[in-house]
Amino acid sequence: MEWMDNALGRKIPAEIEGKTCVPFQGAFIDSGKGAPDAASPARTRRAIPLRQKPDKRVAGWDALFDRLDIRDGAKISFHHHLRNGDRIVNEVVARLAVRGVRDLTIVPTALFPVHDALLPYIREGVITKIDGSMNGAIGAACSRGEIRRTCVLRSHGGRQRAIQEGDIPIDVAFIAAPTADPYGNANGFFGPSACGPLGYAKPDSEHAGTVVLITDNLVPYPCAPWSIQGANVDYVLEVESIGDSSKIVSGTTRITRSPTQLRIAQLAARFIEATGLMTDGFSFQAGAGGISLAATVFLAERMRKAGVKASFAHGGATKVLVDLLEEGLLGSIVDLQSFDLDAVQSCARNARHIESDPYASYGPHSRGCVANMLDVALMGATEIDIDFNVNVVTHSDGTLLHGIGGHSDACSSAGCTIITVPSFRKRIPIIREKVTTVTCPGEVIDVLITERGVAINPKREDLLWKAKKAGLPCKEILQLMGEVQAITGVPAAPRFTDRPVALIEWRDGSVIDTVWQLATE
Amino acid sequence: MSGPQVLEAGFASKSDCLVRYAASEDAVSMAVQSSVQTLFGEAIRRSALEMLDSYGVATGRLDIEDDGALDLVIRARIEAVLRKAGFALQTGERRAAVRRPPTSRDRTRHTRLYVPGDQPHFALNAELFGADMLVFDLEDSVAGERKFEARILVRRLLENEFLFEKSEVAVRINVLRDECGKEDIDEIVAARPHVILLPKCESCSDVKILNRLLSLQEKERGIEGGSIYIAPIIETAKGALAATAIARASDRNVALCFGYEDFSRDIRARPAPETSAVQKKNTQTDALLAREMIVLAARSAGIQPLDSVFSDIEDTGGLTESCYQARALGFEGKAVIHPAQIEHVRRAFSPSREEVERAKAIVAAYEESLKEGGGAVAFDGQMIDVPLVDKAKRVIEESGRGA
């Protein structure tokens, strides 16, 4: 196998499965990978004009698969709006396995613990590649080399671009829809499996060879609103249940009680105000993690006191954001996925709670996406290094355990990107000399906030000066790393083989890093 | 008799480890299981070997089940099982002498955060939340059978030089009437805590016994005599009545604390029904006299009176109210049981900007009148006299300290 170094000095394969890898050159240097290419396998989707009503409904799973004729080596895609309550991914793969199909590539927007049920199919060779996020047990299996081909991890924006530009020619997109009509118009707002927005499935619905809509809440035409357009849908299948509603959205969203997380959140809110980012009409993305939610609450307190209103918040939505929208502290919510019932209902009813999709929110080759309009992004990390490179996919022991989500897209598009993390988890220090895997280059990371201090990228002297003046506990990242390692000790490095089990694609399709198979003990 | 006795210390939970030692005739063996195996498996093994060597352990089996405990925690747990098994330190595990910046008698003690003594997870970041004093608790938050390993853990936590660099550190020991409290002192003085909190203190002789134990330990360990302070906690009727004598019992005394829950139980106060306004406002009327006595005793002895905890973590409004009430009675601070309470308590006890401004204006008006040769002047319709000026000066001084 031939190797090369990319601009960050990370070792990547020269080619995978006969396709040349384009090395990452910089966050804002387009590799040109997505340029229109005559040989691109992106198919043109065309149907013959009909008079009157095409019949898209199929009687059951078997009838569906008879018509689809999925062959060995096919690429099939899924979305993750039903999260850990999803029943469709496992069902489809199990049925294809029974029909003897092998060598599938699955292209999910994310996987959850419920999808650990796919492991036997991975071991049997029914699934031989995953183009998308790998979490928990599946990530660990990938790290051990159990997935036969080299997988690819992309951000939400990167995935959308890859689909649009033909990097991933999806044969069949399976779209679980909480509400749909017989024509395939669908939304996620109503029905027993309501999940809120359905945008992650939109690129698949527009570019896959064949689009299947699966619903447990069939309504008369026309389904309103239509987040997924029936014009893109080939088949509609009605089933008993697409998901377990108790695991799709939570009833309530709780704010963390962890003193350490609260301290980090408090520092983040102070930082945003002190550095002048919190001005009237500003915008932010914070996510629904423990620290992010608390930071949102603390930021809102400061906004109230200072009489400042934000124009919008972007990303996943929760009751916390919905309350701010209704209070008038937020002009809008631009929502990609709703995490609790309040957010689902708000997105369904409130015109200022906008349902978004990966192209509009994160599209790398869009003419400006929502993330570009962000003043502040508060994001997490599993590791960050002294050059501010961030890792969100592997743990320090080398195991692949998370997907990228919108991390790379928001980090590289927002005006100020802040990583909020505890300085160590259990005994594992978060600041490293070099991260195990780079998913986001340090050039787009402005600030690191931990409970033990704030480290500002030397590129952002403007922020440093303001933060110091406000009395924030600023430290150089090297000093912070030293302090933490004095407490935890320096961890040993994991051992890898030279087999790449997954590539990390930057938003433009270039390869920013490689995930290696773990060496066995 | 069943099989060999297995001794245990620690918990198999986050940031901790469960260590077991089983005595046997066989050459010593060891098994390490860890959630951070790849990163720290070797380091854990090395530490364990060093500990076995230090305690001259040649036989038996050591099992470590780790979930990301820091090295000092792992060593504390191993030390606990080995000492339980009857081993004593042989070669002397190399430990640097504890260098702790000294505290001062009258430093600000608005907030003292209680940290359970046998749960490392809570202790590691305790300093970061801005409490004036950290109290590592060996008493009520530690179950009887865990006391032995808890005092070893607290000693090792305080011996490390990275975690608690800025705070005043205190240890609440067990009552001295049984052996447990004395064993706490034997173990903990080596780690040079700034202050020992003496619970359920009922007479001046309780303080004197502690004073003597501390003097012996200081001498033995080459620590400057009298450098470890005492803060007696009054939490019984007997203690309240002896407050004056307790406060004056030792030069080591820097504060007199109140413990409400135990006091209320001791005097057999029966709480009002939960629906009543008295209960809702949490006015602690049963303790009013005792609290006033503690303030008087402390002030007359020139030490700080410090109030009890407010136990409802969610009720921040109630917490602030109870701080204002304590402040009005003369207390200088309150205990906190969750870091989230610290900010509220500090804010309540620190003078507000308006108070500082007003104090400055009073001092200025007074000095102006002195210059002009006049005596008392009026400010805001109030006569300014010397006590009022002194009070204003204290407010200004206090605000300077908080900054």
Side-chain angles (χ1 to χ4, degrees):
Chain A
M1 210 169 212
E2 274 185 58
W3 311 102
M4 53 185 167
D5 279 358
N6 66 19
L8 295 173
R10 311 296 290 205
K11 187 171 136 183
I12 65 165
E15 58 165 57
I16 284 286
E17 297 177 351
K19 274 203 223 161
T20 311
C21 295
V22 182
F24 171 84
Q25 295 168 51
F28 306 107
I29 302 174
D30 198 90
S31 65
K33 199 185 171 199
D37 174 1
S40 162
R43 51 169 285 180
T44 49
R45 305 192 57 224
R46 223 164 54 185
I48 302 156
L50 290 179
R51 182 163 199 185
Q52 278 282 295
K53 303 155 184 167
D55 184 13
K56 299 185 181 184
R57 289 189 60 185
V58 285
W61 285 107
D62 285 327
L64 174 68
F65 285 116
D66 287 346
R67 293 226 218 153
L68 288 174
D69 190 24
I70 292 174
R71 311 264 175 95
D72 288 1
K75 287 182 165 60
I76 58 175
S77 81
F78 304 94
H79 68 74
H80 72 279
H81 283 292
L82 304 182
R83 283 188 283 273
N84 206 31
D86 174 70
R87 290 199 170 115
I88 296 306
V89 177
N90 294 345
E91 179 85 42
V92 167
V93 172
R95 286 180 179 274
L96 287 172
V98 170
R99 296 175 82 94
V101 181
R102 298 181 58 79
D103 197 20
L104 288 169
T105 295
I106 62 167
V107 190
T109 52
L111 292 178
F112 281 79
V114 64
H115 301 121
D116 290 355
L118 297 178
L119 278 172
Y121 303 112
I122 288 171
R123 291 185 184 129
E124 288 160 16
V126 175
I127 296 169
T128 52
K129 183 174 177 181
I130 297 177
D131 247 319
S133 96
M134 277 165 281
N135 307 58
I138 291 182
C142 179
S143 278
R144 290 192 300 266
E146 290 178 26
I147 304 181
R148 292 188 194 168
R149 295 162 64 193
T150 301
C151 299
V152 183
L153 287 104
R154 296 181 180 85
S155 66
H156 288 318
R159 179 183 188 274
Q160 178 279 323
R161 183 210 57 75
I163 291 173
Q164 182 187 13
E165 293 170 0
D167 290 3
I168 327 172
I170 295 168
D171 293 302
V172 184
F174 292 91
I175 300 176
T179 294
D181 67 30
Y183 230 62
N185 297 296
N187 69 55
F189 300 123
F190 312 105
S193 306
C195 60
L198 214 47
Y200 283 127
K202 210 173 171 204
D204 308 48
S205 78
E206 288 166 349
H207 301 285
T210 305
V211 177
V212 179
L213 216 123
I214 304 158
T215 188
D216 54 6
N217 185 36
L218 198 68
V219 296
Y221 180 91
C223 163
W226 57 51
S227 308
I228 299 296
Q229 291 185 15
N232 289 319
V233 174
D234 298 282
Y235 301 111
V236 175
L237 171 68
E238 194 182 6
V239 296
E240 184 124 329
S241 166
I242 59 169
D244 175 351
S245 61
S246 70
K247 292 173 186 157
I248 297 173
V249 286
S250 59
T252 52
T253 300
R254 288 179 60 99
I255 304 294
T256 179
R257 275 201 195 159
S258 151
T260 302
Q261 292 199 340
L262 288 171
R263 174 171 160 82
I264 298 167
Q266 193 62 268
L267 279 174
R270 255 179 78 192
F271 181 91
I272 292 168
E273 184 174 14
T275 51
L277 292 163
M278 195 187 90
T279 51
D280 217 28
F282 84 117
S283 59
F284 64 90
Q285 170 160 354
I291 297 173
S292 302
L293 266 187
T296 305
V297 172
F298 294 142
L299 187 61
E301 279 171 16
R302 287 169 186 273
M303 286 161 62
R304 234 170 257 131
K305 222 178 241 174
V308 164
K309 289 181 176 141
S311 54
F312 74 95
H314 182 234
T318 58
K319 180 176 193 301
V320 172
L321 285 184
V322 171
D323 288 348
L324 297 183
L325 179 67
E326 279 165 17
E327 186 187 338
L329 276 183
L330 272 182
S332 285
I333 298 172
V334 183
D335 186 358
L336 275 160
Q337 56 177 333
S338 299
F339 289 104
D340 55 33
L341 283 172
D342 289 80
V344 172
Q345 282 158 8
S346 166
C347 194
R349 290 188 193 131
N350 189 340
R352 303 221 61 95
H353 188 146
I354 302 162
E355 177 184 13
S356 189
D357 62 70
Y359 179 72
S361 275
Y362 295 136
H365 287 162
S366 66
R367 291 151 195 87
C369 57
V370 181
N372 286 109
M373 294 300 291
L374 288 170
D375 294 309
V376 188
L378 289 180
M379 310 301 290
T382 57
E383 294 179 321
I384 181 166
D385 69 23
I386 52 179
D387 297 319
F388 287 85
N389 295 312
V390 168
N391 171 19
V392 294
V393 295
T394 51
H395 278 204
S396 299
D397 65 6
T399 315
L400 184 59
L401 287 177
H402 306 279
I404 299 172
H407 193 275
S408 313
D409 306 304
C411 286
S412 60
S413 308
C416 179
T417 296
I418 303 170
I419 302 294
T420 50
V421 281
S423 67
F424 61 99
R425 296 187 176 102
K426 291 183 184 173
R427 193 184 174 176
I428 305 167
I430 301 307
I431 309 169
R432 310 298 308 273
E433 218 168 299
K434 280 206 176 312
V435 287
T436 308
T437 311
V438 181
T439 59
C440 192
E443 66 175 299
V444 303
I445 306 296
D446 301 301
V447 187
L448 164 69
I449 297 184
T450 75
E451 79 287 1
R452 287 188 151 69
V454 175
I456 296 171
N457 192 326
K459 288 175 62 176
R460 295 301 305 264
E461 246 178 61
D462 54 324
L463 294 173
L464 181 62
W465 185 80
K466 288 177 190 159
K468 274 190 172 164
K469 207 175 151 208
L472 282 152
C474 296
K475 288 170 183 171
E476 280 185 28
I477 195 162
L478 210 59
Q479 183 197 347
L480 202 50
M481 179 178 79
E483 282 176 21
V484 176
Q485 285 184 349
I487 295 167
T488 61
V490 181
R495 291 187 306 117
F496 297 107
T497 69
D498 64 358
R499 183 191 161 212
V501 290
L503 302 180
I504 312 293
E505 267 194 22
W506 183 242
R507 305 174 71 210
D508 64 347
S510 63
V511 180
I512 190 166
D513 209 347
T514 312
V515 180
W516 305 97
Q517 183 177 331
L518 290 168
T520 45
E521 293 300 314
Chain B
M1 286 290 287
S2 56
Q5 197 194 2
V6 179
L7 298 155
E8 245 184 52
F11 300 86
S13 61
K14 189 181 164 193
S15 303
D16 201 348
C17 63
L18 175 64
V19 176
R20 290 193 190 92
Y21 176 77
S24 77
E25 303 286 297
D26 305 330
V28 69
S29 65
M30 176 169 69
V32 176
Q33 205 182 41
S34 172
S35 63
V36 295
Q37 185 78 36
T38 306
L39 303 169
F40 290 107
E42 258 323 294
I44 295 170
R45 201 168 277 278
R46 268 201 310 276
S47 291
L49 285 174
E50 204 182 304
M51 292 295 291
L52 289 172
D53 192 46
S54 303
Y55 281 82
V57 182
T59 57
R61 181 185 166 82
L62 190 71
D63 273 291
I64 300 174
E65 209 176 304
D66 167 66
D67 191 12
L70 293 186
D71 190 57
L72 77 94
V73 176
I74 293 166
R75 284 170 184 263
R77 299 318 194 184
I78 296 174
E79 180 182 337
V81 287
L82 296 183
R83 281 171 57 184
K84 273 188 204 171
F87 294 100
L89 195 61
Q90 303 282 310
T91 54
E93 180 198 3
R94 260 180 302 135
R95 287 209 303 263
V98 180
R99 287 166 305 172
R100 194 182 301 292
T103 184
S104 62
R105 299 186 64 86
D106 62 347
R107 74 177 269 165
T108 304
R109 295 185 181 92
H110 291 329
T111 51
R112 56 185 200 283
L113 173 64
Y114 274 95
V115 182
D118 65 344
Q119 292 175 57
H121 171 61
F122 290 113
L124 302 182
N125 285 341
E127 181 172 79
L128 302 175
F129 310 115
D132 299 314
M133 178 198 265
L134 297 178
V135 183
F136 294 88
D137 183 33
L138 296 175
E139 197 211 8
D140 287 348
S141 61
V142 181
E145 71 278 10
R146 295 276 180 184
K147 301 270 188 204
F148 182 77
E149 59 191 81
R151 62 173 78 97
I152 293 172
L153 177 66
V154 169
R155 190 199 82 227
R156 284 193 179 256
L157 278 168
L158 297 190
E159 277 172 349
N160 100 87
E161 50 187 316
F162 306 111
L163 293 171
F164 316 107
E165 295 171 297
K166 298 175 206 111
S167 316
E168 180 174 59
V169 293
V171 176
R172 178 165 76 173
I173 59 169
N174 289 283
V175 291
L176 283 173
R177 285 181 281 282
D178 55 39
E179 276 306 299
C180 199
K182 297 193 179 78
E183 286 164 11
D184 291 339
I185 292 296
D186 290 347
E187 190 71 43
I188 227 73
V189 168
R192 306 196 61 171
H194 289 124
V195 184
I196 300 291
L197 265 61
L198 179 62
K200 310 208 169 60
C201 186
E202 298 197 317
S203 69
C204 70
S205 75
D206 286 345
V207 181
K208 285 185 171 150
I209 293 168
L210 176 59
N211 179 40
R212 205 157 46 236
L213 289 173
L214 286 173
S215 297
L216 280 172
Q217 284 288 333
E218 283 168 344
K219 203 167 172 190
E220 198 173 302
R221 298 179 191 276
I223 299 170
E224 189 195 335
S227 62
I228 297 178
Y229 296 142
I230 298 176
I233 311 174
I234 289 180
E235 37 196 342
T236 60
K238 212 171 152 190
L241 290 174
T244 315
I246 290 169
R248 293 163 189 267
S250 167
D251 287 344
R252 292 179 190 266
N253 280 355
V254 291
L256 195 58
C257 308
F258 178 55
Y260 172 71
E261 298 294 342
D262 281 302
F263 177 82
S264 183
R265 195 169 51 227
D266 188 59
I267 64 164
R268 300 190 195 177
R270 295 165 60 207
E274 269 180 34
T275 47
S276 82
V278 180
Q279 174 80 359
K280 276 187 186 148
K281 284 180 79 180
N282 209 329
T283 46
Q284 303 186 349
T285 42
D286 51 347
L288 190 57
L289 178 61
R291 291 165 85 200
E292 289 182 323
M293 285 172 74
I294 286 165
V295 171
L296 293 180
R299 292 299 184 198
S300 73
I303 62 176
Q304 299 172 348
L306 302 176
D307 198 16
S308 188
V309 300
F310 183 82
S311 50
D312 187 347
I313 300 169
E314 304 288 320
D315 183 6
T316 53
L319 173 64
T320 301
E321 274 309 305
S322 91
C323 288
Y324 285 149
Q325 194 201 34
R327 210 176 79 155
L329 285 174
F331 283 105
E332 280 206 21
K334 228 174 152 55
V336 294
I337 46 172
H338 191 281
Q341 295 184 313
I342 292 171
E343 196 45 45
H344 299 279
V345 177
R346 197 216 328 277
R347 222 178 292 150
F349 277 95
S350 306
S352 67
R353 196 178 305 164
E354 293 75 34
E355 286 174 286
V356 176
E357 290 309 314
R358 189 180 149 80
K360 282 181 179 162
I362 288 173
V363 173
Y366 180 71
E367 278 166 2
E368 187 68 18
S369 85
L370 278 187
K371 244 186 266 166
E372 284 164 17
V377 288
F379 178 84
D380 242 6
Q382 195 181 356
M383 284 307 288
I384 302 180
D385 50 13
V386 176
L388 196 66
V389 172
D390 282 350
K391 214 169 178 175
K393 281 180 177 166
R394 273 203 306 281
V395 169
I396 296 165
E397 188 196 312
E398 175 73 17
S399 75
R401 256 196 295 188

